[in-house]
Amino acid sequence: MFVSIIQHISSQLVLDQNVVASIKWIMYQYSIPLNSNGFNCSTLAEGYYFDPFICSPSPTNSSEEIVTQFLVVFDNLIMKDGFPKYIPFNSLFCSACSISPYVPNSALTHMGGLTCDGDSIVDFDQNSLYPNLSSIEENFPVLIIFNSKISYMDNSIITFDTNSILYINVYHPARNTTISLGRAANLIGLDFRNVRGSVEKAKNLQKLFLTYQNLTSWPPISWFSTTMNVQIDLSNNLLEGNIPDYSSLFLGEFNIKNNPGINGSIPDYICLVQFINFLNTSITEAPDLIQFDKTNFIFFGNFSPYALTITGKNLGFKAPPSTHMVRANTEFLYAVDHVKAGNVTLTFNNKTQTFTWYTDVTQISYPNFNPVMLPNVTYNLGIFGTFDTTLTYSVSVNLQLCENIQVHNSSYIDCQINILIGKSQNFETVLIRVNFSIIANIIVTSYSPINRNGGAFHIDGHFESNPNITVSVYLDYKECKDIVKRNLTIDCNVAGPLTVGYVPLLVTVGDGSSLTTVKVDDAVIPNDCGEADKCSGNGVCLEKKCKCNEGYGGYYCDLKLGKGTIVTNLTTPSASFVAENVQFDFNIYSIQEVDSSDNVVKELNVTQWRFRNDTEGEITNLYYYLNVSYPNVTTMIQYSPKERTVEFAGITSYLPPNSLKVSITITGWLFQSNLNVLRVVFNTKIEDQFDECGDKLDIFGTDINNDLKYLRITKDKTVFYGSFLDRIMSDGKPTATRNQVISTDKETGMTLIGIQLPQCYNCIIDPNFSVLVENGGECEHQPISPIKLFNSNNKFKQQELHRVVERMFVLIIIANIT
C-alpha cells in the first residue's frame, strides 16, 4: 500500500488543472482505471471501485476544491523522474511495498517525513542526490523525522549529514547497522536500538534513547539542551561507575536499567526526575534527607489563592491526599479552596509536617505628608488604606523607621518621624512595610542624555494610564515644563543651567512619585583620547575615544597585546586569563538592591549556575544560567581570535583579538521600593602596582564624576585590562549607569566593583576584558625643578612631586650631618 498525504493546494477553477494533469499522469503510468475525461474529484473517480481521492472545499468555501489525500494500492511501485511535482508530498508512508528503481527528486521536493516498515524496500537515486544508497546529504529535502524499522539491512551504514533533520528513530533488531551523524545542528531527538551510533556532533538533544548499544561511556552533558525537558534512556548497555553530573539539565526521564556495572549512590538531582528506573544495577544508596523550604505562608489580597505551593527536597514521588505533584520530590500544590486562614498536616515521604497559612488584606491608598522634609523637624505621617488591626505594622521613610505607630482603625494609621540625614530640601516617598515593602507604581526605568544647558528631556517608565492625572517633573530642583505624559513615557523641557554630575529627578503622578538620580553631562564633552588626542601614537581618535592599531590595546592604546590564554570555567561565570604563569580573574560576586545611600537592602546569591557552550563560526559563546526560580539571570562570556567591532547601548567598541565580552541579563527582579536600584557586583584581586622606578601605578581610570572607565592590573609587565561602558540597557532602552569601586580589602587585595542599573524589568550590562603587555622601560629619573612642577600651566603626575620632595628632604638631612 502506498499512501501520499498531500499538502492543501488552492485552485483557480473547480479543481486546479495542474493537479488534474498530475492525477491523469499517474493514471496513465500505473494503469489506474480512472475517468480520463474527468475534471474534478468526483468525475475523475467515476467507475473506480473505491474513492481514491479525499477532497474538501477550498479554505475560502467557494466552489473550488483541494485534494488532501490520494490513495492507491500497489504491490510494487515504480516512481519515474517525471513523478508529478504539482502534488507536493508532505509525508510518505510505505507498508509492505517496494519503490524502485528509486524515489525521484520530483517526489521528494516537499517531503517532511519518511516512514517505512520492515517489509518495505525503498531505494534512493545514488547518482543525483545521494553518494550511496544509505547516505543523506545536505541537498536532501527538508526531512523532519526519519523512522526506520528495516530488518533486511545487514552490515549497513546510514549517514545523516543535514541540519534539517529533527528526529531520528532507528530500530534494527539483530542486525549489524552503523549510524553516523555529520551536520546535525538542529537534531533534538535520537532513538537507536541495537545499532552502532556515532553522535558526537549532537549538542541540543531533548531526547536520547540508546538501548542495546553495548555502551561503555556515558553521554557528555554537551549533547543536551539545558533549557528544555530532557529524556534519557540508556538501558540494556555496559555502563559502569557512578552516575555523572547531569544536574544542569531539566530531566523528565532517566532510565539506566540493566547496566549491572553502574554503582555508587543516586545523586540528589535525580530525585527531581519524574520517571526513573535503576533495575538491575549495582546502586546501593539513595538520598534520605527530607526538607521543606517553609511551612508558614502569608498571602496578600482580599482572599487567599487556590493552593499552597509546598517546596523542598526529597519530598517523594507520591502526592498526599488533596495535593497535586508539580515536580517529583520538589514541588506540590495543596488546595485551600479560598479559605483565608488555616492549617493542615500532611505526610511527605514518610515525614509528617504541619503547614499554616494566613491572608493579609493590607492595601495602601495614599500617604498624607509634607513632600519637602527638613532635617531635625518632626512630621506626622497619615496613611490611608485597608489594614488588619491584628497585625503589627512598621513604617519607614527611605529606610528610616517611623515611630509611635498607631493603627486607629482598619483604614487609617499614623506615626511620627524626624529626618536625621538629608539636604535642606529632600523629596522623600513613604514606604509602608508589613513584613514586606509596598512598591509605588511610579517607576523611572531610563532617561535620555542631557547636558548642563538643559532642553528636551525624555523619561521611560510606568506613569499611570489616566491621561488627566496631575503630573510634575523636577530635575536638579528645576521644574520641567511642557509635560506630555503617556503610560510609559514622559517628555518635557527643563531650563539650564543644570549641575554637571548626578542630580535628583523627582517625578510625581497623582499621589505616587519616584525619586532617582540623573547624570548631567557637560555642554561640550572633550575627546578622551589621551595626550593631544593621539591615542599614544598607536591608534586613532574615533567618536571621542581611541581605536587602537593592530597589536595594541588599552584605553589610550598605550599597551601591546599580550598572549594570555582564556580559561573556561564550567561552573561559574568568570572572565579569566592565564599569562606568564599568572591567572587573572574577574568574577560576578552578587546582585544587590541598594537604596539612595548605597545601603544594601537585598542581595542575591550567585554561586549555583548551569553551563552551556555554543560556538558560531569563530565566535565562542559561554552561557551561564543562575539556578534560582526568580529572577532570571543569564551571563554570556563571548570571545573570538579575531579583532571585532561590537555595538551595545548605542556605543561602538573595538575589541582586540582574544578579548572577553561579558554580558549579564537580569529579568524580573522584585524591588522592595521604587527608590531603590540594582547593582551587579564583581570581585577581583588587586595588589599595589609599581613601575620600574618603584612608583605606584594607577589601577583605576575614572572620569570627572569618579565613575570607573577602566581598570588595569599589572603583574610582571603583564596587564589584565577591563573596560566599562557608561551605558546599560534598561527594558530595551540605553541609559546612563554608574561604575563604582565599592571597596578594597587592604590585607587580601580583594576588590569589589559595582555596575548600577535602574528599576528595569529586563536589564543588561556589557563590560569587556583583555590581556596586554606593559610598555614601560628601564627606570631613568631625571632631575626635575620643584618650581617647574608647581607651575600651574604644567601638567605633572602626583608621584613625581612626591619624588622631588623626598629627594629634597634627603639632601637636607645629609647637609645637617655634614
Side-chain angles (χ1 to χ4, degrees), residues 613-622 636-641:
N613 186 342
D614 185 24
T615 300
E616 301 175 1
E618 293 185 330
I619 298 179
T620 298
N621 299 308
L622 310 177
M636 182 188 74
I637 297 179
Q638 185 184 81
Y639 60 88
S640 170

Side-chain angles (χ1 to χ4, degrees), residues 439-721:
I439 302 176
N441 55 1
I442 306 303
I443 298 173
V444 172
T445 59
S446 63
Y447 57 86
S448 63
I450 192 166
N451 62 44
R452 68 185 310 160
N453 293 334
F457 188 50
H458 176 85
I459 310 170
D460 295 293
H462 302 275
F463 307 115
E464 295 281 5
S465 58
N466 184 356
N468 301 317
I469 200 168
T470 302
V471 181
S472 66
V473 178
Y474 285 86
L475 179 62
D476 195 21
Y477 306 106
K478 293 187 176 182
E479 186 175 6
C480 210
K481 304 287 188 180
D482 307 322
I483 296 176
V484 177
K485 184 197 80 69
R486 304 172 186 85
N487 293 357
L488 302 177
T489 62
I490 291 178
D491 288 283
C492 61
N493 282 278
V494 61
L498 301 175
T499 305
V500 175
Y502 291 98
V503 300
L505 169 66
L506 175 67
V507 178
T508 302
V509 181
D511 296 324
S513 62
S514 173
L515 178 66
T516 186
T517 57
V518 165
K519 184 179 182 181
V520 176
D521 298 319
D522 208 341
V524 177
I525 300 177
N527 288 339
D528 191 10
C529 295
E531 184 177 355
D533 299 330
K534 296 294 185 181
C535 297
S536 306
N538 301 316
V540 293
C541 194
L542 292 179
E543 298 177 351
K544 300 187 177 183
K545 292 187 178 180
C546 287
K547 180 184 184 302
C548 300
N549 295 337
E550 184 177 353
Y552 288 89
Y555 199 84
Y556 298 113
C557 304
D558 54 335
L559 304 171
K560 294 182 179 179
L561 293 184
K563 296 182 179 180
T565 301
I566 296 172
V567 180
T568 300
N569 193 318
L570 301 183
T571 59
T572 303
S574 177
S576 300
F577 296 90
V578 171
E580 300 297 333
N581 297 321
V582 177
Q583 181 160 336
F584 301 92
D585 298 298
F586 195 82
N587 310 298
I588 179 171
Y589 177 76
S590 70
I591 302 174
Q592 302 172 341
E593 181 179 342
V594 297
D595 62 18
S596 57
S597 301
D598 285 345
N599 297 310
V600 179
V601 299
K602 182 180 176 181
E603 191 163 18
L604 180 63
N605 189 339
V606 292
T607 57
Q608 300 294 324
W609 300 82
R610 303 190 314 275
F611 172 76
R612 178 169 70 89
N613 186 342
D614 185 24
T615 300
E616 301 175 1
E618 293 185 330
I619 298 179
T620 298
N621 299 308
L622 310 177
Y623 293 95
Y624 301 83
Y625 306 93
L626 188 62
N627 275 334
V628 295
S629 57
Y630 216 76
N632 294 322
V633 180
T634 301
T635 299
M636 182 188 74
I637 297 179
Q638 185 184 81
Y639 60 88
S640 170
K642 292 187 176 181
E643 179 184 18
R644 293 186 295 149
T645 300
V646 297
E647 184 172 325
F648 176 78
I651 298 176
T652 300
S653 299
Y654 307 97
L655 303 184
N658 298 313
S659 59
L660 295 178
K661 184 168 76 69
V662 180
S663 178
I664 299 178
T665 302
I666 305 168
T667 304
W669 184 278
L670 296 177
F671 287 88
Q672 294 188 3
S673 163
N674 71 328
L675 299 179
N676 299 342
V677 295
L678 276 182
R679 185 168 68 186
V680 180
V681 181
F682 299 88
N683 70 350
T684 188
K685 188 173 182 180
I686 300 177
E687 299 174 353
D688 288 341
Q689 316 289 315
F690 299 92
D691 64 11
E692 292 82 357
C693 302
D695 293 320
K696 193 172 182 180
L697 294 173
D698 292 331
I699 298 173
F700 306 109
T702 58
D703 62 14
I704 59 174
N705 297 311
N706 204 33
D707 282 355
L708 184 65
K709 297 188 298 183
Y710 64 87
L711 68 81
R712 48 189 291 178
I713 305 172
T714 306
K715 183 70 173 180
D716 297 331
K717 292 189 178 183
T718 300
V719 178
F720 175 71
Y721 171 79

Side-chain angles (χ1 to χ4, degrees), residues 5 15 27 38 72 132 169 180 267 270 289 302 317 338 366 411 456 467 525 580 705 732 745 794 796:
I5 308 299
L15 184 63
M27 178 182 68
V72 268
N132 53 66
N169 305 312
S180 177
I270 293 295
L289 174 67
N302 293 325
F317 290 83
H338 300 286
Y366 63 92
S411 61
I525 300 177
E580 300 297 333
N705 297 311
D745 189 310
N794 186 51
F796 61 89

Side-chain angles (χ1 to χ4, degrees), residues 193 208-212 215 218-219 230-237 239 243 246 251-259 262 270 273-281 283:
R193 180 183 177 91
L208 179 67
F209 285 14
L210 300 177
T211 59
Y212 297 95
L215 285 181
W218 293 88
V230 173
Q231 299 172 283
I232 298 178
D233 186 344
L234 305 175
S235 59
N236 300 286
N237 281 295
L239 295 173
I243 298 173
Y246 291 145
L251 284 173
E253 178 178 347
F254 190 69
N255 185 354
I256 56 172
K257 71 176 182 179
N258 296 330
N259 282 275
I262 299 177
I270 293 295
V273 183
Q274 182 74 43
F275 302 101
I276 57 177
N277 194 332
F278 302 112
L279 293 176
N280 195 25
T281 66
I283 292 175

